Amino acid sequence: MNCHPTLCGMLVEVDDGQVTRVTGDPDNPDSRGFLCVRGQAAPEILDNPRRLLYPMLRATRGGRWRRATWDEALDLIVQRMRAAGREAVATWPGHGIFANNYGTRIHSHLLRRFSNLYGCQWWSPAIICWALGGFGLGLTGLLEPNTKEDMGANANLILLWGANLASQPNTGRHLAAAKRRGARIVTIDVRETEAAAQSDETVLIRPGTDAALALAMLHVLVVEGLVDRDFVARHTIGFPPLAAHLRAHTPAWAAEITGIPAARIVDLARRYAGTRPAMIVVGGSSMHKASNGWHAARAIACLPALTGQVGIAGGGLGPRHGASLRGQVLGNIVALDRRPPGDDVPSQMTRITESLVSGRVRVLLLFGTDMLSSFADANRVAEGLARQDLVVCYDLFENDTARRFADVLLPSTSWLEELGCKATNTHVYLMPQVLPAPGETRSMPWLLRALAERLGLDDFFPWRDDVELVDAMIDVPATRHATVAALTAEGGMRAMDVSHVGHPDLTFPTPSGKLELFSELAVSRGLPGLPVYEAPADSPYPLTLRQGRTLTAFHGFYDHGQALPSLAKADPEPVLWISPADAAARGIPDGAAITLANARGEMRARAYVTSRIPAGTVWMRDGWSGLNTLTSGDAVLPDAAVEALGFSAGQAAFDARVDVTPLG
Ligand code: SF4
């Protein structure tokens, strides 16, 4: 599933056209033979009775599917696209189409090229993933991570701040290496995660209060003289206003908000400043899923800035999903300069939902994604999907969106049935096609070429074949000019020419080129100039719901794992973590059937009563049907800020306060 920055290597044994064995590749420098339970389940994709093998059409939603030819399906799609007009057509890709090209994002870039040349809406997949957290880090200026290898070899204190290992289990090997050297590991999270089990200590925090903790730690650095004044003078701007702003953000103030005792906040700040090198691994996505979550990333990025722990081995920010290292720049095929002017809906979740509901968008093409489970305020999204003239889902399996709203299903090839090329933070990998495409499954490039031909987009695919397409992306200085032919000759992998240390020359992608403790750019886009803590809105519902990951699921892959028997068996139904106190107050025993509800929606689940989560917080793995009927679809950033850093940070709030009751 490619939980970047890992991307495990597989050895696939094929006999007479059948896969006989899939094992971890011990020679893969990123994964060293490891495959998690998700990777081990991958062979269950092949020959799976639920797999989509043929284009399917139906006359009415909820009606029976019938098999169609590709020509019939594509002709219908193009006819509806033409009838709606290009600006009323939208494409939205998900992680599913990255399955064979994460890190290079070839299929996503190809879809963006198609959308730019045609002039339809294109929305970034990053709006449900790493981008909003990246926005917070990027306003301060710390976007480049140090690698997991650097963390294992050099960090002496590691703060796993909202960062779990369930998404990126390979990071665990490097944490273990750091521990063997005597490094101390601290987890900061809303519950005791898999990462907490690997840590020396766990700091449990109230959801949505991470910015308050970071501001109080910054306060301690300033009042106790723990600031690296030379570094701050040379490499940051805005220290005087930040220092003045921090006066009120005392540990006692933060203790009330976060639930963490003031003495512990002081101790954490002192240890962070007093340990060199110290690294912070910031969560990729879950911790930013609230209206104020991105403020935390912005404030956290000030900690290395004030202590001068930037651009050094073992310091800075650690491995983060979706982040790129210095020098990790691949080819650009998206043809943005050729996009015709038009009525563009920004990559802002709230605006996207509005465009579906209002009829501004009428034909929706979804690629490897389950929009209904991904977007916040799912009932409103469902309203918008119901109003579409045509919904097309291209995937390996049906998912909630496809079952309820698709008019056309297009069957996708899997990772062994097409040419693939991926990149981690440090290596580029080639995945040759080893199986014929089953049934009438087709690859993403094939599908987009067929659509482009029908639409008369002559220059959409200027390459002779998929090999030339891959070469156009990877034949760049960062890969030392890798090509498919060169990688094939080298056994399929090559180390990239990148720095294991983020911001090694202490330059930063901000308007000033320095770390910006105060950001004029933020002010110009309607945001506060300094990092702030914003209290969540009051709610009549008593429990704060958070969502995250388990080892058995990653994004919406394989109908959220339910299409693969071993993953479905391991994780068969929605389970809600709830504290013993909250469960007892509601008469809920462990394992009981429950309902979560608020004014927006409700869902059923089973209670997991555990002291690993504090009272007042409940938690569930993301993706379950109905979960996002409970979450807020309000915009987090002003539209003017969404693209301010060159990537789309238009995630909705996902805030959810709920109550939980026993069922029946
Ligand atoms: S899902 Fe598992 S096997 Fe696949 S890349 Fe991630 S850790 Fe590796």
Side-chain angles (χ1 to χ4, degrees), residues 391-414:
V391 175
V392 178
C393 291
Y394 168 77
D395 218 317
L396 292 165
F397 300 97
E398 275 190 89
N399 56 37
D400 258 5
T401 308
R403 277 186 288 271
R404 290 181 60 188
F405 295 107
D407 305 289
V408 181
L409 298 175
L410 300 177
S412 156
T413 40
S414 80

Side-chain angles (χ1 to χ4, degrees), residues 1-3 6-8 34-40 167 169-170:
M1 295 184 191
N2 300 323
C3 37
T6 308
L7 318 188
C8 296
F34 176 81
L35 283 184
C36 79
V37 62
R38 302 181 293 241
Q40 289 175 27
S167 290
N170 269 298

